């Protein structure tokens, strides 16, 4: 049975939403006060943190692991869709930052005003971002929540961006105003990298990429007493989160009860290794023959497990 961690995920998202709103207010206020392009860009990136928290709350509520009549395989892909939404927010922030850099380069210079208070407040913001990243990642790994892990990636990018912005503001304070524009460029790069990482981690789930190599499944099934052959193996989902498997198994059984016991043992062993697993087995009699399968060792049996 799949454990529903949505209440814990939603609680984490609500806490981080409040902290992200606090961060956005400070950064936006300081950006307006100082006229810093990199700080405004940082505030824009932090706005996507809050937006992604709201998106995560919505998708987490929808992503029940329990099946129903309309969704017999559950609703967990809603969570992956939410993670892709975070990637989209990061993409939008990236283009806005790049646009701001070019506008500042070809516009009349806007002086950036600085004071020690700005740096002190940015240190407070940095501390909040580090706390949020650690909290979301720790709980996300514990619960196996893609939405929390993706949001932690997002907030971690905010940590590096804030550090970069602080270096730029320090340079402006020391008499190098062009640092504000120069350091806005790596800010954009960090935003893009975070979006790409979230996209890369969640697309395989949505397009039903192979979750576990057939060779790994074949090894486990063939070790079950009474199994003659295992073929036509397929898997999808996320290993350790929810895996769907299907296969054809030739069994040495003279009655249905014996065949059933063999398939129960197959399910138990696969569940122990790759839990949680939802398994479909097509049983075939011992005299079953097909040109599409081999009764000898698999050619790639030593391949690494997924």
């Amino acid at each position: 049975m799949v454990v529903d961690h949505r209440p814990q995920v939603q609680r984490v998202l609500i806490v981080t939403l409040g902290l992200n709103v606090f961060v956005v207010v400070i950064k936006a206020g300081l950006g307006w006060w100082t006229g810093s392009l990199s700080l405004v860009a940082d505030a824009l990136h932090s706005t996507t943190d809050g937006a992604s928290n709201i998106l995560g709350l919505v998708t987490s509520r929808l992503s029940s692991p329990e099946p129903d009549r309309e969704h017999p395989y559950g609703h967990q892909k809603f969570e992956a869709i939410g993670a892709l939404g975070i990637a989209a927010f990061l993409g939008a922030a990236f283009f806005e930052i790049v646009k701001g850099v070019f506008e500042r380069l070809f516009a009349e210079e806007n002086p950036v005003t600085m004071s020690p208070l700005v740096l002190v407040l940015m240190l407070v913001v940095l501390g909040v971002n580090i706390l949020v990243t650690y909290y979301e990642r720790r709980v996300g790994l514990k619960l196996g929540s893609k939405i929390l892990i993706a949001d932690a990636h997002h907030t971690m990018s905010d940590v590096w961006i804030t550090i970069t912005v602080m270096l730029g503001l320090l340079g402006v304070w020391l008499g190098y105003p062009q640092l504000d524009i120069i350091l806005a460029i790596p800010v954009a790069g960090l935003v893009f990298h975070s979006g790409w990482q979230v996209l890369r981690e969640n697309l395989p789930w949505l397009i039903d990429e192979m979750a576990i190599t057939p060779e790994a499944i074949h090894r486990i099934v063939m070790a079950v007493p009474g199994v003659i052959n295992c073929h036509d193996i397929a898997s999808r989902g996320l290993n350790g989160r929810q895996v769907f498997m299907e296969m054809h198994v030739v069994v040495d059984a003279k009655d249905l009860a014996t065949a059933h016991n063999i398939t129960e043992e197959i399910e138990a062993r696969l569940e122990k290794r790759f839990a949680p697993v939802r398994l479909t087995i097509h049983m075939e009699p011992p005299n079953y023959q097909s040109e599409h399968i081999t009764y000898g060792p698999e050619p790639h049996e030593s391949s690494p497990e997924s």
Side-chain angles (χ1 to χ4, degrees):
M1 181 178 179
V2 182
V3 180
D4 189 356
H5 294 301
R6 287 181 299 155
Q8 295 98 309
V9 171
Q10 290 165 9
R11 185 161 54 248
V12 172
L13 289 172
I14 289 171
V15 172
T16 56
L17 175 60
L19 292 173
N20 283 328
V21 169
F22 170 75
V23 166
V24 168
V25 170
I26 291 181
K27 287 182 179 179
L30 291 178
W32 174 80
W33 180 28
T34 63
S36 166
L37 175 62
S38 60
L39 188 48
V40 170
D42 193 12
L44 177 61
H45 180 265
S46 295
T47 301
T48 69
D49 282 326
S52 67
N53 290 149
I54 296 172
L55 181 62
L57 283 168
V58 174
T59 56
S60 178
R61 181 172 293 275
L62 293 174
S63 62
S64 170
E66 298 298 329
D68 57 29
R69 178 181 173 85
E70 289 76 23
H71 304 89
Y73 294 99
H75 311 73
Q76 288 178 306
K77 284 189 178 180
F78 278 113
E79 193 166 318
I81 293 172
L84 293 183
I86 293 174
F89 279 125
L90 287 167
F94 166 74
F95 285 110
E96 285 297 320
I97 295 169
V98 172
K99 176 184 174 184
V101 169
F102 280 100
E103 287 177 349
R104 181 65 66 86
L105 285 173
F106 296 104
E108 294 183 5
E109 182 178 355
N110 285 325
V112 179
T113 58
M114 271 297 300
S115 72
L117 178 60
V118 174
L119 293 175
V120 170
L121 290 175
M122 288 300 291
L123 280 174
V124 172
V125 166
L126 180 62
V128 172
N129 283 337
I130 293 173
L131 175 64
V132 169
T133 300
Y134 172 77
Y135 177 48
E136 281 194 305
R137 181 169 177 78
R138 181 175 65 84
V139 179
L141 290 173
K142 179 181 178 181
L143 302 180
S145 171
K146 296 297 289 185
I147 197 73
L148 288 183
I149 294 172
D151 206 39
H153 278 307
H154 188 183
T155 309
M156 189 61 210
S157 71
D158 214 26
V159 170
W160 292 112
I161 288 171
T162 300
I163 292 173
T164 302
V165 170
M166 289 179 66
L167 291 174
L169 294 176
L170 184 61
V172 171
W173 192 26
L174 295 175
Y176 302 96
Q178 288 301 315
L179 272 178
D180 183 55
I181 300 175
I182 294 171
L183 290 180
I185 298 173
V187 169
L190 288 168
V191 170
F192 180 82
H193 178 266
S194 296
W196 170 248
Q197 191 169 16
V198 171
L199 186 67
R200 185 181 61 186
E201 290 180 359
N202 287 277
L203 269 181
W205 192 5
L206 290 173
I207 63 176
D208 289 335
E209 186 176 286
M210 176 183 65
I212 301 165
T213 60
E215 294 80 18
I217 297 172
H218 182 270
R219 271 198 306 274
I220 294 173
V221 175
M222 291 301 295
V224 175
V227 173
I228 298 174
N229 186 263
C230 175
H231 61 101
D232 290 343
I233 302 169
S235 67
R236 62 182 177 87
L238 288 175
N239 191 5
R241 177 64 168 159
Q242 177 68 75
V243 177
F244 297 91
M245 295 182 190
E246 58 184 71
M247 65 192 71
H248 288 219
V249 178
V250 182
V251 294
D252 183 12
K254 295 181 172 59
D255 54 69
L256 182 60
T258 303
H260 173 74
N261 290 336
I262 293 173
T263 59
E264 287 286 300
E265 179 63 20
I266 292 172
E267 185 172 356
R269 295 192 184 195
L270 290 173
E271 179 73 21
K272 181 180 180 180
R273 177 63 183 83
F274 302 113
V277 171
R278 184 168 172 177
L279 181 61
T280 301
I281 299 177
H282 179 82
M283 291 186 295
E284 293 163 342
N287 59 350
Y288 178 81
Q289 298 289 333
S290 171
E291 61 181 11
H292 300 296
I293 64 172
T294 173
Y295 285 83
E298 287 290 313
H300 304 292
E301 201 170 58
S302 61
S303 298
E305 295 182 351
S306 173

Short mmCIF file of all heavy atoms in Angstrom, two decimals, residues 27-62:
data_model
loop_
_atom_site.label_atom_id
_atom_site.label_comp_id
_atom_site.label_asym_id
_atom_site.label_seq_id
_atom_site.Cartn_x
_atom_site.Cartn_y
_atom_site.Cartn_z
N LYS A 27 13.72 41.92 -0.44
CA LYS A 27 14.52 42.12 -1.66
C LYS A 27 13.90 43.18 -2.57
O LYS A 27 14.62 44.02 -3.14
CB LYS A 27 14.66 40.80 -2.41
CG LYS A 27 15.60 39.80 -1.76
CD LYS A 27 15.72 38.54 -2.60
CE LYS A 27 16.68 37.55 -1.96
NZ LYS A 27 16.79 36.30 -2.75
N ALA A 28 12.59 43.12 -2.74
CA ALA A 28 11.93 44.10 -3.61
C ALA A 28 12.09 45.51 -3.05
O ALA A 28 12.35 46.46 -3.80
CB ALA A 28 10.45 43.75 -3.76
N GLY A 29 11.94 45.64 -1.73
CA GLY A 29 12.10 46.96 -1.11
C GLY A 29 13.52 47.49 -1.27
O GLY A 29 13.72 48.66 -1.62
N LEU A 30 14.50 46.61 -1.06
CA LEU A 30 15.90 47.03 -1.21
C LEU A 30 16.23 47.32 -2.67
O LEU A 30 17.01 48.25 -2.96
CB LEU A 30 16.82 45.94 -0.66
CG LEU A 30 16.81 45.71 0.86
CD1 LEU A 30 17.74 44.58 1.24
CD2 LEU A 30 17.19 47.00 1.60
N GLY A 31 15.67 46.54 -3.60
CA GLY A 31 15.91 46.79 -5.01
C GLY A 31 15.38 48.14 -5.45
O GLY A 31 16.04 48.87 -6.21
N TRP A 32 14.20 48.48 -4.96
CA TRP A 32 13.60 49.79 -5.29
C TRP A 32 14.40 50.92 -4.66
O TRP A 32 14.64 51.95 -5.27
CB TRP A 32 12.16 49.82 -4.79
CG TRP A 32 11.51 51.16 -4.94
CD1 TRP A 32 10.97 51.70 -6.08
CD2 TRP A 32 11.35 52.14 -3.91
NE1 TRP A 32 10.48 52.96 -5.83
CE2 TRP A 32 10.70 53.25 -4.50
CE3 TRP A 32 11.68 52.20 -2.56
CZ2 TRP A 32 10.38 54.40 -3.78
CZ3 TRP A 32 11.37 53.34 -1.84
CH2 TRP A 32 10.73 54.42 -2.46
N TRP A 33 14.87 50.70 -3.43
CA TRP A 33 15.60 51.74 -2.70
C TRP A 33 16.97 51.99 -3.31
O TRP A 33 17.38 53.14 -3.52
CB TRP A 33 15.73 51.31 -1.24
CG TRP A 33 16.47 52.29 -0.36
CD1 TRP A 33 16.56 53.64 -0.53
CD2 TRP A 33 17.21 51.98 0.82
NE1 TRP A 33 17.30 54.21 0.47
CE2 TRP A 33 17.72 53.21 1.32
CE3 TRP A 33 17.49 50.80 1.50
CZ2 TRP A 33 18.49 53.26 2.47
CZ3 TRP A 33 18.25 50.87 2.65
CH2 TRP A 33 18.75 52.08 3.12
N THR A 34 17.71 50.92 -3.65
CA THR A 34 19.08 51.08 -4.14
C THR A 34 19.16 51.29 -5.64
O THR A 34 20.14 51.82 -6.15
CB THR A 34 19.91 49.84 -3.77
OG1 THR A 34 19.35 48.69 -4.44
CG2 THR A 34 19.92 49.60 -2.28
N GLY A 35 18.16 50.82 -6.40
CA GLY A 35 18.22 50.88 -7.86
C GLY A 35 19.11 49.80 -8.45
O GLY A 35 19.50 49.88 -9.62
N SER A 36 19.40 48.75 -7.68
CA SER A 36 20.30 47.69 -8.13
C SER A 36 19.58 46.73 -9.07
O SER A 36 18.56 46.14 -8.72
CB SER A 36 20.84 46.92 -6.93
OG SER A 36 21.45 45.72 -7.32
N LEU A 37 20.14 46.54 -10.29
CA LEU A 37 19.56 45.61 -11.26
C LEU A 37 19.66 44.18 -10.76
O LEU A 37 18.72 43.40 -10.87
CB LEU A 37 20.28 45.75 -12.60
CG LEU A 37 19.86 44.76 -13.69
CD1 LEU A 37 18.40 44.94 -14.05
CD2 LEU A 37 20.73 44.95 -14.93
N SER A 38 20.83 43.81 -10.22
CA SER A 38 21.00 42.43 -9.76
C SER A 38 20.08 42.12 -8.58
O SER A 38 19.56 41.01 -8.45
CB SER A 38 22.46 42.18 -9.36
OG SER A 38 22.85 43.05 -8.33
N LEU A 39 19.82 43.09 -7.74
CA LEU A 39 18.93 42.88 -6.60
C LEU A 39 17.47 42.77 -7.05
O LEU A 39 16.71 41.95 -6.52
CB LEU A 39 19.09 44.03 -5.59
CG LEU A 39 18.38 43.88 -4.25
CD1 LEU A 39 18.62 42.52 -3.63
CD2 LEU A 39 18.84 44.99 -3.30
N VAL A 40 17.09 43.57 -8.04
CA VAL A 40 15.74 43.45 -8.60
C VAL A 40 15.56 42.07 -9.24
O VAL A 40 14.52 41.43 -9.09
CB VAL A 40 15.48 44.57 -9.63
CG1 VAL A 40 14.19 44.31 -10.40
CG2 VAL A 40 15.42 45.93 -8.94
N ALA A 41 16.61 41.63 -9.96
CA ALA A 41 16.55 40.29 -10.57
C ALA A 41 16.43 39.21 -9.50
O ALA A 41 15.70 38.23 -9.66
CB ALA A 41 17.80 40.06 -11.42
N ASP A 42 17.15 39.39 -8.42
CA ASP A 42 17.08 38.43 -7.31
C ASP A 42 15.68 38.41 -6.70
O ASP A 42 15.15 37.34 -6.36
CB ASP A 42 18.12 38.82 -6.25
CG ASP A 42 18.35 37.73 -5.24
OD1 ASP A 42 17.88 36.60 -5.46
OD2 ASP A 42 19.01 38.00 -4.21
N ALA A 43 15.08 39.58 -6.56
CA ALA A 43 13.71 39.64 -6.03
C ALA A 43 12.74 38.94 -6.97
O ALA A 43 11.82 38.24 -6.53
CB ALA A 43 13.29 41.11 -5.84
N LEU A 44 12.95 39.10 -8.28
CA LEU A 44 12.10 38.42 -9.26
C LEU A 44 12.23 36.90 -9.13
O LEU A 44 11.25 36.17 -9.16
CB LEU A 44 12.49 38.86 -10.67
CG LEU A 44 11.74 38.20 -11.83
CD1 LEU A 44 10.26 38.48 -11.75
CD2 LEU A 44 12.30 38.68 -13.17
N HIS A 45 13.47 36.44 -8.96
CA HIS A 45 13.69 35.00 -8.78
C HIS A 45 13.01 34.50 -7.51
O HIS A 45 12.40 33.44 -7.49
CB HIS A 45 15.19 34.71 -8.73
CG HIS A 45 15.52 33.27 -8.53
ND1 HIS A 45 15.76 32.73 -7.30
CD2 HIS A 45 15.62 32.24 -9.42
CE1 HIS A 45 16.01 31.43 -7.42
NE2 HIS A 45 15.93 31.12 -8.69
N SER A 46 13.09 35.28 -6.44
CA SER A 46 12.46 34.88 -5.19
C SER A 46 10.94 34.88 -5.30
O SER A 46 10.27 34.10 -4.61
CB SER A 46 12.89 35.83 -4.05
OG SER A 46 14.27 35.69 -3.81
N THR A 47 10.40 35.74 -6.17
CA THR A 47 8.95 35.72 -6.41
C THR A 47 8.52 34.37 -6.97
O THR A 47 7.46 33.85 -6.62
CB THR A 47 8.56 36.85 -7.38
OG1 THR A 47 8.94 38.11 -6.82
CG2 THR A 47 7.05 36.85 -7.62
N THR A 48 9.37 33.79 -7.81
CA THR A 48 9.03 32.47 -8.36
C THR A 48 9.09 31.39 -7.27
O THR A 48 8.42 30.37 -7.39
CB THR A 48 9.98 32.08 -9.51
OG1 THR A 48 11.30 31.85 -9.01
CG2 THR A 48 10.01 33.15 -10.58
N ASP A 49 9.89 31.62 -6.20
CA ASP A 49 9.88 30.68 -5.07
C ASP A 49 8.48 30.61 -4.46
O ASP A 49 7.96 29.53 -4.21
CB ASP A 49 10.89 31.13 -4.00
CG ASP A 49 12.31 30.78 -4.36
OD1 ASP A 49 12.53 29.73 -4.99
OD2 ASP A 49 13.21 31.56 -4.01
N GLY A 50 7.92 31.79 -4.19
CA GLY A 50 6.58 31.82 -3.61
C GLY A 50 5.54 31.24 -4.55
O GLY A 50 4.63 30.51 -4.12
N ALA A 51 5.66 31.58 -5.84
CA ALA A 51 4.70 31.05 -6.82
C ALA A 51 4.79 29.53 -6.91
O ALA A 51 3.78 28.83 -7.03
CB ALA A 51 4.95 31.68 -8.19
N SER A 52 6.01 29.01 -6.83
CA SER A 52 6.17 27.56 -6.91
C SER A 52 5.63 26.88 -5.66
O SER A 52 5.14 25.75 -5.71
CB SER A 52 7.65 27.20 -7.13
OG SER A 52 8.41 27.54 -6.00
N ASN A 53 5.71 27.56 -4.50
CA ASN A 53 5.10 27.01 -3.29
C ASN A 53 3.59 26.88 -3.44
O ASN A 53 3.00 25.85 -3.07
CB ASN A 53 5.38 27.92 -2.09
CG ASN A 53 6.83 27.89 -1.64
OD1 ASN A 53 7.34 28.88 -1.15
ND2 ASN A 53 7.51 26.77 -1.82
N ILE A 54 2.97 27.91 -4.02
CA ILE A 54 1.52 27.87 -4.24
C ILE A 54 1.18 26.76 -5.23
O ILE A 54 0.23 25.99 -5.03
CB ILE A 54 1.02 29.23 -4.75
CG1 ILE A 54 1.24 30.31 -3.68
CG2 ILE A 54 -0.45 29.16 -5.14
CD1 ILE A 54 0.96 31.71 -4.15
N LEU A 55 1.95 26.68 -6.31
CA LEU A 55 1.74 25.62 -7.30
C LEU A 55 1.92 24.25 -6.66
O LEU A 55 1.15 23.31 -6.92
CB LEU A 55 2.73 25.79 -8.45
CG LEU A 55 2.64 24.80 -9.60
CD1 LEU A 55 1.28 24.89 -10.28
CD2 LEU A 55 3.75 25.05 -10.60
N GLY A 56 2.92 24.13 -5.79
CA GLY A 56 3.15 22.86 -5.11
C GLY A 56 2.00 22.47 -4.20
O GLY A 56 1.63 21.30 -4.11
N LEU A 57 1.41 23.44 -3.52
CA LEU A 57 0.26 23.16 -2.66
C LEU A 57 -0.92 22.62 -3.47
O LEU A 57 -1.59 21.67 -3.06
CB LEU A 57 -0.16 24.43 -1.91
CG LEU A 57 0.72 24.83 -0.73
CD1 LEU A 57 0.37 26.24 -0.27
CD2 LEU A 57 0.56 23.84 0.42
N VAL A 58 -1.14 23.23 -4.64
CA VAL A 58 -2.26 22.80 -5.49
C VAL A 58 -2.01 21.39 -6.02
O VAL A 58 -2.86 20.50 -5.93
CB VAL A 58 -2.47 23.78 -6.66
CG1 VAL A 58 -3.52 23.24 -7.62
CG2 VAL A 58 -2.89 25.15 -6.13
N THR A 59 -0.82 21.17 -6.59
CA THR A 59 -0.54 19.86 -7.19
C THR A 59 -0.41 18.76 -6.13
O THR A 59 -0.78 17.62 -6.38
CB THR A 59 0.75 19.90 -8.03
OG1 THR A 59 1.83 20.37 -7.21
CG2 THR A 59 0.59 20.83 -9.21
N SER A 60 0.11 19.11 -4.95
CA SER A 60 0.22 18.11 -3.88
C SER A 60 -1.16 17.64 -3.43
O SER A 60 -1.36 16.46 -3.14
CB SER A 60 1.00 18.69 -2.70
OG SER A 60 1.07 17.77 -1.64
N ARG A 61 -2.10 18.55 -3.40
CA ARG A 61 -3.47 18.16 -3.03
C ARG A 61 -4.08 17.24 -4.08
O ARG A 61 -4.87 16.35 -3.77
CB ARG A 61 -4.34 19.42 -2.85
CG ARG A 61 -5.77 19.13 -2.44
CD ARG A 61 -6.50 20.41 -2.09
NE ARG A 61 -5.97 21.02 -0.90
CZ ARG A 61 -6.33 20.70 0.35
NH1 ARG A 61 -7.24 19.75 0.54
NH2 ARG A 61 -5.81 21.30 1.37
N LEU A 62 -3.71 17.46 -5.35
CA LEU A 62 -4.28 16.65 -6.43
C LEU A 62 -3.57 15.32 -6.63
O LEU A 62 -4.14 14.39 -7.21
CB LEU A 62 -4.21 17.44 -7.75
CG LEU A 62 -5.08 18.69 -7.86
CD1 LEU A 62 -4.76 19.42 -9.17
CD2 LEU A 62 -6.56 18.34 -7.79
#
